[in-house]
């Protein structure tokens, strides 16, 4: 029988080559640095591409760029966006420019957006621009007189509904009864918008105080009992304090979450370079 060799002692085992770990760490640092550099360069290329697209004569390309700006809240294109918002002739592009302006919270462009709501005919596009202006204003009370005039503009039904909703967006509870009254009119041209704004603004208020009201689906005609309950709710709870609490909860963005989302987005961008 062959002799069994004794187990090698741990101390006698060959040690890993010295200097390997520092080299590996150095390589990883270089790779990470290259990845960050590539991401920064790619980000700058993307911004320049957006700026170029905003100046493109094709409306479809401008709309695509504005959609990306709105989705990404890309504020670094603010100056070119300001020029486009002030001078754009295409209605669809103008509407998207207004939406992008609201999304990046370019409050300095509020007067320009407000002025552009007066261009063109009274239609759904105009109404949305008014709402964008009110939402972007950060509850600027200087908009209240303008919105009050619009809420009484019987010959401009779209402006009327948007202005009533706008009053709510700036924290003025007088917009509530005005919007409810407009939403109750079956033949009002902008009734669908009025119902949608009620659902988005007043419904959270009823939920905040636990008001027992069943909101009908958007495709269903509200029952008379619904309107009676909504009237009673507003009479008892339609206060500036409740309205502003709901607006704060819905629209105020915590800077920490904003930065976290930006970091997550950047990480996803960088990860694509290593796939």
């Amino acid at each position: 029988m062959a002799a069994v060799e004794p187990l090698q002692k741990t101390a006698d085992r060959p040690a890993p080559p010295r200097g390997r770990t520092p080299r590996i760490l150095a390589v990883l640092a270089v790779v990470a640095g290259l990845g960050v550099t590539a991401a920064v360069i790619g980000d700058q290329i993307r911004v320049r591409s957006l700026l170029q697209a905003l100046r493109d004569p094709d409306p479809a390309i401008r709309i695509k760029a504005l959609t990306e700006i709105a989705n990404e809240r890309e504020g670094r294109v603010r100056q070119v966006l300001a020029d486009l918002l002030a001078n754009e002739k295409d209605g669809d592009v103008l509407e998207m420019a207004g939406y992008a302006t609201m999304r990046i919270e370019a409050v300095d462009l509020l007067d320009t957006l407000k002025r552009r709501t007066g261009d063109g005919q009274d239609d759904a596009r105009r109404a949305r621009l008014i709402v964008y202006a009110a939402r972007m204003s950060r509850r600027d009370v200087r908009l209240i007189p303008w919105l009050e005039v619009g809420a009484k503009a019987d010959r401009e039904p779209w402006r009327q509904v948007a202005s009533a909703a706008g009053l709510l967006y700036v924290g003025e509870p007088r917009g509530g009864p005005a919007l409810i009254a407009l939403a109750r009119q079956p033949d009002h041209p902008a009734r669908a918008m009025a119902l949608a704004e009620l659902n988005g603004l007043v419904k959270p208020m009823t939920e905040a105080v636990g008001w027992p009201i069943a909101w009908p689906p958007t495709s269903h005609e509200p029952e008379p009992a619904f309107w009676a309950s909504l009237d009673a709710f507003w009479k008892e709870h339609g206060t500036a304090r409740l309205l502003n609490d709901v607006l704060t909860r819905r629209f105020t963005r915590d800077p920490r979450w904003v930065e976290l989302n930006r970091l997550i987005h950047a990480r996803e961008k960088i990860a694509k370079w290593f796939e």
Side-chain angles (χ1 to χ4, degrees):
M1 175 181 292
V4 178
E5 295 182 2
L7 295 175
Q8 188 177 23
K9 295 181 179 180
T10 303
D12 296 335
R13 293 178 185 174
R18 294 182 178 180
R20 178 180 296 178
T21 299
R23 286 199 300 269
I24 293 175
L25 293 176
V27 170
L28 290 176
V30 170
V31 171
L34 290 174
V36 172
T37 301
V40 171
I41 294 174
D43 182 60
Q44 292 299 319
I45 293 174
R46 183 181 68 87
V47 172
R48 292 182 181 181
S49 177
L50 288 174
L51 292 172
Q52 183 178 359
L54 290 177
R55 299 184 178 99
D56 196 282
D58 187 347
I61 294 178
R62 299 201 298 278
I63 289 175
K64 182 179 179 181
L66 289 166
T67 301
E68 183 174 348
I69 291 167
N71 291 340
E72 301 293 338
R73 297 184 186 270
E74 182 53 78
R76 290 173 290 180
V77 299
R78 180 183 304 243
Q79 186 55 55
V80 177
L81 176 60
D83 295 338
L84 186 146
L85 181 66
N87 303 304
E88 181 58 52
K89 304 299 182 184
D90 186 281
D92 292 334
V93 179
L94 174 60
E95 180 182 342
M96 185 53 66
Y99 180 68
T101 301
M102 178 193 71
R103 287 281 294 174
I104 69 172
E105 299 180 347
V107 182
D108 55 306
L109 301 182
L110 178 59
D111 290 339
T112 303
L113 179 55
K114 178 184 172 184
R115 176 177 61 80
R116 293 308 306 268
T117 65
D119 297 346
Q121 60 184 356
D122 185 62
D123 55 13
R125 178 181 295 118
R126 182 191 192 189
R128 285 190 286 269
L129 288 175
I130 293 172
V131 169
Y132 297 159
R135 286 181 55 178
M136 185 180 70
S137 72
R138 297 178 182 172
R139 292 175 239 177
D140 191 336
V141 296
R142 291 175 296 178
L143 289 185
I144 291 178
W146 173 61
L147 294 169
E148 285 180 330
V149 171
K152 298 175 183 178
D154 296 335
R155 296 184 180 182
E156 298 172 290
W158 288 98
R159 178 190 178 192
Q160 191 178 29
V161 166
S163 297
L167 285 170
L168 292 177
Y169 280 115
V170 299
E172 175 49 66
R174 283 177 291 177
L179 190 59
I180 293 171
L182 294 169
R184 295 178 82 156
Q185 301 177 25
D187 57 346
H188 196 285
R191 190 193 190 205
M193 181 181 187
L195 289 170
E197 293 295 344
L198 281 178
N199 189 75
L201 288 171
V202 180
K203 182 179 179 180
M205 295 176 66
T206 64
E207 294 172 344
V209 298
W211 187 266
I213 182 172
W215 285 81
T218 54
S219 59
H220 288 64
E221 178 69 22
E223 299 290 338
F226 167 78
W227 294 117
S229 181
L230 193 57
D231 288 338
F233 160 78
W234 200 265
K235 184 177 181 179
E236 184 171 344
H237 295 289
T239 63
R241 179 176 180 178
L242 176 60
L243 173 60
N244 281 278
D245 284 347
V246 169
L247 290 172
T248 298
R249 183 179 63 182
R250 180 177 174 187
F251 295 113
T252 300
R253 297 193 301 152
D254 190 323
R256 294 172 296 179
W257 285 108
V258 173
E259 185 62 24
L260 178 61
N261 289 332
R262 288 181 65 86
L263 291 173
I264 292 174
H265 180 70
R267 184 195 64 182
E268 293 173 350
K269 289 280 188 181
I270 295 174
K272 295 178 181 180
W273 292 85
F274 297 94
E275 291 179 354

